Amino acid sequence: MKAVVLSNQSQFSEWVSRGYRADEFSLFCDNPRLFDFLRKKGLPFQELSELSLKDQWAGINAWGCAEVSRWMKACQKAHVFSDVDLASVVRHFFAMTLIPAVKNHRFAREILASPGLTEVVTFESSNKRKFPFFSGNGYLNHFLAEGGREAQVSVSVIPVYERENLEYVVPVTLAWALVSNVKKFLKQFFNVVYRWAMRPDEKISVVAHGSLRHLGSTIGELKKRGEAIALFDFEFHFEQFRFALEHKIPYWLPPLFDSSPGDAEALSQRYFAEFKKALELMKPSGLFIREGHDFSGFITSQLFYGLKDYCEDLAKRARLYEDLLKACRLRALVLDEDYALRCSFLAAFMKARGLALFCVSHANLGIDFSIQEPDRNFHHAWTCVHSEFERDMYAVRGWDPSKIVVTGTPRYDRLLRLAQEKRPKKNGGALKLLYTATGLWGFSPDQHGYLGCHFVCYGDFQIPAFKTILEAIEGLPIEMTVKPHSAESVPMWHQFIRELQPKNSVRITAQADDYFKLLTESDAMILSYWSTGLIESALCGVPTFFVRPSSFESPVLKRFSEQGYCHLVSNTAELRQAMRALCQKGPGFFKNDYRKDTAYYLSFLDAQSTGRVADLVQNGRTSGGLKQHE
């Protein structure tokens, strides 16, 4: 028997062109986006799904996070990086890429263990994605070829140019892509104009970078207190530009600074040499060995493929940040994340220069695994979170809890005020149901993430869940509002609703619409994936229903629901019963019955979090109510 894994149409075309016959093969597919294509071709295949590894999710996730944390600690102990701690820069994405790699190693082992296997056909991309991007299928083919040779199974390798590697991991419509390209052109134009129209203000002492949705209230408060603050952006955004004008603060872009290549090439070479030395620590440290397999060689050759280009980019950014520091009297940096690669390097660079760093958390992710306390060592900034629960969800995946401060989330101040202003619902009229939507596209093997956590956010899970909701509310006096999370998904949702032709009224909002206003004006919310919306609906007392697929299990979600913050339903019948009760008895019937853990999950309900974060930025402390891990 022969085996092959097909993941995209480029691979399929090459496989067919070699004269292979499907009836001689066991076909596998790891990409849900190719399933329909193969079915239309009449080709039987076996799906490679994370669900088959459900009992291993927590173990693989914890191992990946812990091993990268130990490697980072080993690099720090050996003083591998002479200036910026690049191990901490890549720590998060390293773990989020290593975990899918382990998944694909498991898939390869299962395929190679197939009875009667005589040959495995693999693909080798001629245009491989470079770090920090990756191809999960590329990893799978690597492990198939490696394992096949070790098992003395014949291995055939097909070179292939994968045009899919040039596409967005998130699929987009043609219209969206065209608009996006126009915006890119306009941003480049503004960058050129901006350089000649503006000059940096040397009096600036605090720089903020990130989404205004998460940082806007904090920036405004610091400005009100007389802080010399500027808003820094990697590229021009009109929303940020308008905000800066309204608040009379500088809006800084990279072209404002006289960043020249200088010795960027020499710095790039130093970064690359230090990275190589850091990767050489893996073997003597006994790291990255799981179930007898040593992943260190794979990590060096595959996971960090393209490392030299990555170091060149870091060196250019380092020169930009040096020029930024020369232009002002900066003492503090405020971010909305310090772990994603671009912001992670910015944070690590400024940390190495002695600045005070503050990160206002913008995501409250439910985590169903935990690493040991000695491995919880990641931090760049003081991370401000809303609750002890949010603090713990960072800590269990590797953050240093002693560097996390429970201040409350500044943007929730407005949410709480809106909730207080909400008027009781009058009798009669349709109930307003808010659905917070993710993307409709299928999960891709090329997406970073924890096993069992991220793949449930995509169409493979969300489409059946949404259809369940429509069936449950059909014929009931309910109007549904769908609030897409991303701009890319909005046209897809419009098309999807046109195809479904639901009996109830369904309205699709723009991605930029005011979510907090939508939430507080709704009678109930419904969703089918872990989202910060669960926390936000609990904060403002909006009854929330969670459509849980039969294959989805989350101990964290279960404990959350047991505290009265949401109601779990598993099928159409259960949801229809709940929706009927909602219509007959009103939202008050499902009013959240918060129990003893309100302080743990929600913490601050006083709408004063912006002030506490501003106190921390200004003084390194808050004016009261500070909750810090002991």
Side-chain angles (χ1 to χ4, degrees), residues 97 129-135 139 169 302-303 305 446 448:
T97 309
R129 286 194 173 106
K130 296 180 179 180
F131 181 83
F133 304 103
F134 77 102
S135 166
Y139 290 175
V169 173
Q302 303 296 317
L303 194 150
Y305 175 77
D446 303 334
H448 303 82

Side-chain angles (χ1 to χ4, degrees), residues 54-66:
K54 185 191 294 188
D55 61 339
Q56 301 175 54
W57 286 350
I60 294 174
N61 289 336
W63 179 83
C65 290

Side-chain angles (χ1 to χ4, degrees), residues 386-491:
H386 188 74
S387 65
E388 295 174 52
F389 169 69
E390 186 174 2
R391 178 202 66 199
D392 289 350
M393 292 298 96
Y394 274 111
V396 295
R397 50 192 168 128
W399 268 251
D400 181 350
S402 69
K403 306 299 181 183
I404 301 175
V405 187
V406 183
T407 56
T409 297
R411 74 179 188 275
Y412 290 166
D413 292 351
R414 176 172 173 268
L415 174 64
L416 290 164
R417 288 192 293 269
L418 286 172
Q420 292 169 359
E421 296 168 1
K422 183 176 181 178
R423 298 179 179 178
K425 178 177 173 59
K426 297 180 180 179
N427 293 330
L431 276 85
K432 297 180 179 179
L433 183 64
L434 177 64
Y435 178 75
T436 55
T438 58
L440 292 166
W441 46 81
F443 178 71
S444 167
D446 303 334
Q447 288 169 311
H448 303 82
Y450 304 124
L451 303 189
C453 180
H454 293 82
F455 84 112
V456 298
C457 298
Y458 299 94
D460 319 295
F461 275 75
Q462 296 305 309
I463 290 176
F466 188 72
K467 289 180 178 179
T468 294
I469 296 169
L470 290 182
E471 291 175 13
I473 67 173
E474 185 174 333
L476 297 176
I478 293 177
E479 297 176 349
M480 182 188 289
T481 297
V482 176
K483 172 64 172 67
H485 180 70
S486 64
E488 301 96 321
S489 67
V490 173

Side-chain angles (χ1 to χ4, degrees), residues 53-67 70 98-99 102-103 106 290-291 368-371 451:
L53 305 176
K54 185 191 294 188
D55 61 339
Q56 301 175 54
W57 286 350
I60 294 174
N61 289 336
W63 179 83
C65 290
E67 288 296 288
R70 292 167 188 165
L98 178 62
I99 288 166
V102 176
K103 173 187 72 175
R106 291 291 306 181
R290 180 175 173 82
E291 297 179 341
D368 286 308
F369 65 89
S370 178
I371 70 175
L451 303 189

Side-chain angles (χ1 to χ4, degrees), residues 547-568:
V547 181
R548 178 180 57 183
S550 59
S551 55
F552 179 71
E553 297 176 5
S554 171
V556 168
L557 175 63
K558 183 179 179 182
R559 289 194 295 270
F560 186 77
S561 67
E562 288 171 350
Q563 295 300 318
Y565 299 115
C566 69
H567 307 275
L568 304 182

Side-chain angles (χ1 to χ4, degrees), residues 71 75 78-80 272-282:
W71 171 75
C75 291
H79 302 289
V80 171
F272 183 63
E274 291 177 346
F275 244 122
K276 288 180 64 177
K277 186 177 178 181
L279 295 176
E280 290 169 359
L281 284 178
M282 292 187 289

